[in-house]
Amino acid sequence: MDRTDRIPQDVDTLVREAAGAMPGYGGDFADLPRIARRQRRRRTAGTVAAAVAVLAVAGIGVTVDRGPDRTVSPPAATSSPDQPPTVAPGPAGAQRLMLDGANGTYQTFETSNTHTTLTDTTLSGATRVGEMTVDGTWKLTTHEVVGADGWDRFVGLADGRIVALGPDDTLPGVQREDGPDVEGLTINLVVTGPDGRVLQSRDVREPGEPVALLGATERYAYLWRPAGLVEHDLATGAEQVRVTPGQLGVTGFFDGRIAAADLVGDRLVIVRQESPCVVFVFDVATGAELTGHDLAGNATCERIVGLRLSPDTSEIAVAYRDGDMLEVTVMDAAGGALSDSTDVPVGADLKQEPAIAVSWVDERTLRGAAYGTGGGPAGLVPFTLTR
């Protein structure tokens, strides 16, 4: 591709300034041990908030889209009105762009005639979560948290449903902070419809054990448990261990041994802590390790910080650290060849990665958003990659 097709300097500066102020992402695999310790301090059998890091993909030919033209002076900020949850529009087969881990007040811009309206939208896993459209309009839609006291992680399905996992410690007599274990505390696996109505809410707690949501399909939720990666039937609640920690070459899922992971279909990709630049591909139908690709063989890699499989599982979007720089490349899942690599404009002085979500719209187009998670005013940087 033509390497002259780069980000315009003025837009690049805006992106770097906005993203450079973002706090680090607190919801990836590196956070599992910390959150597990916090749960033990609360002395409840709570969930571990496992937000498997999805990543921003940018490359040669990337277009950074900050939304409508902002040359018109915006009027005073307005609060985002309550709106019924909807399925964010996009082509058939496109992955939904869920802003997992978003926590703060995010500004979006909408243009009507000659006026640009600045809208503030507050998101939190305890009250309201967000989703960006993938049709190029960059509309920020919201979904109210229901069926649990909060959503540690949520996954949008193509049919409009959302699958989420979160604790419900609002039962009578339950102590919210430090206190004794409470019989009856629930960890709910919640399924909502496109209208936000709770279709089911099932307690998936095993006493004394952490549990986390990796992903979901129309039929199954995939949960991390101490016994392994579990396939949970949404209709019946029946569970089957698909891959054990031993098969993945780790001692456990909640001790920091897995640095990043993603699952699509029968393909699971992980990065182990002791091999921070190697992507391992597994067949979850058999538990077999298919291959391993060392990113350091073709790039200056310090550590991989996120993975995202394409819908057909033929490619993997890989985000990795090269010193202070955050780099992204698209990797062929079978052979490990790299393509469409570039740096992500999040600021060279960023000590930790921001939260970044990505959607494979089709095999040639990806849309994503980088965003802060520290609460208060937070940056939100949408972008498009056309290959």
Side-chain angles (χ1 to χ4, degrees):
M1 296 185 181
D2 184 4
R3 289 182 171 270
T4 63
D5 187 7
R6 304 298 296 172
I7 302 171
Q9 184 60 42
D10 57 341
V11 177
D12 178 67
T13 301
L14 286 172
V15 172
R16 291 181 183 274
E17 289 177 351
M22 294 180 183
Y25 177 33
D28 60 14
F29 264 88
D31 255 7
L32 284 175
R34 179 184 64 80
I35 299 174
R37 289 193 297 272
R38 183 184 68 197
Q39 295 292 341
R40 286 196 294 271
R41 286 198 299 270
R42 290 182 62 180
R43 301 188 63 199
T44 68
T47 63
V48 176
V52 179
V54 292
L55 44 125
V57 180
I60 308 305
V62 66
T63 301
V64 177
D65 185 348
R66 296 277 297 181
D69 182 9
R70 295 192 290 173
T71 57
V72 179
S73 299
T78 60
S79 297
S80 176
D82 290 338
Q83 53 183 319
T86 58
V87 182
Q95 296 170 337
R96 292 173 67 180
L97 188 58
M98 318 303 284
L99 303 184
D100 199 57
N103 177 37
T105 300
Y106 300 87
Q107 294 181 340
T108 56
F109 296 83
E110 296 183 7
T111 298
S112 175
N113 297 326
T114 59
H115 297 286
T116 299
T117 302
L118 171 64
T119 300
D120 288 347
T121 302
T122 300
L123 303 175
S124 166
T127 54
R128 175 187 289 172
V129 297
E131 173 180 9
M132 297 291 288
T133 57
V134 294
D135 61 351
T137 62
W138 295 117
K139 182 179 180 182
L140 177 58
T141 64
T142 61
H143 306 275
E144 301 302 318
V145 173
V146 293
D149 191 45
W151 287 355
D152 288 341
R153 177 164 168 78
F154 63 104
V155 178
L157 304 181
D159 62 8
R161 290 181 295 164
I162 291 176
V163 179
L165 186 74
D168 186 356
D169 56 0
T170 59
L171 299 176
V174 173
Q175 297 184 16
R176 294 180 56 88
E177 299 300 332
D178 293 333
D181 289 337
V182 179
E183 192 67 31
L185 179 73
T186 62
I187 305 300
N188 287 345
L189 182 65
V190 180
V191 181
T192 65
D195 60 355
R197 181 171 54 92
V198 176
L199 302 179
Q200 74 178 55
S201 182
R202 175 183 297 134
D203 183 10
V204 296
R205 177 183 73 111
E206 294 292 340
E209 290 187 0
V211 60
L213 176 66
L214 172 62
T217 66
E218 280 71 14
R219 182 175 179 184
Y220 298 109
Y222 290 90
L223 306 175
W224 296 111
R225 292 192 185 274
L229 176 62
V230 172
E231 185 179 76
H232 179 101
D233 192 301
L234 293 175
T236 68
E239 292 191 349
Q240 177 184 0
V241 176
R242 300 301 302 271
V243 186
T244 66
Q247 287 175 306
L248 296 183
V250 296
T251 56
F253 300 137
F254 301 95
D255 56 4
R257 298 297 180 180
I258 295 182
D262 193 34
L263 172 70
V264 172
D266 278 335
R267 290 295 179 266
L268 171 69
V269 289
I270 70 166
V271 173
R272 301 184 187 121
Q273 184 186 49
E274 65 270 21
S275 304
C277 290
V278 181
V279 179
F280 294 96
V281 182
F282 290 85
D283 182 349
V284 298
T286 63
E289 180 181 314
L290 299 179
T291 188
H293 305 306
D294 190 349
L295 189 65
N298 296 297
T300 306
C301 173
E302 177 182 301
R303 57 190 171 90
I304 294 173
V305 297
L307 302 169
R308 186 59 170 166
L309 274 161
S310 63
D312 65 0
T313 71
S314 66
E315 293 183 298
I316 312 164
V318 182
Y320 63 97
R321 275 291 185 184
D322 175 9
D324 290 333
M325 301 299 294
L326 178 61
E327 305 284 339
V328 175
T329 188
V330 177
M331 173 184 286
D332 177 74
L338 306 182
S339 63
D340 300 300
S341 298
T342 192
D343 65 301
V344 179
V346 294
D349 60 346
L350 197 65
K351 300 302 181 183
Q352 294 176 301
E353 287 72 45
I356 306 175
V358 67
S359 164
W360 290 80
V361 180
D362 53 43
E363 69 276 7
R364 297 185 61 84
T365 305
L366 299 97
R367 288 198 167 96
Y371 50 98
T373 60
L380 179 62
V381 183
F383 56 86
T384 297
L385 167 64
T386 302
R387 303 201 291 158

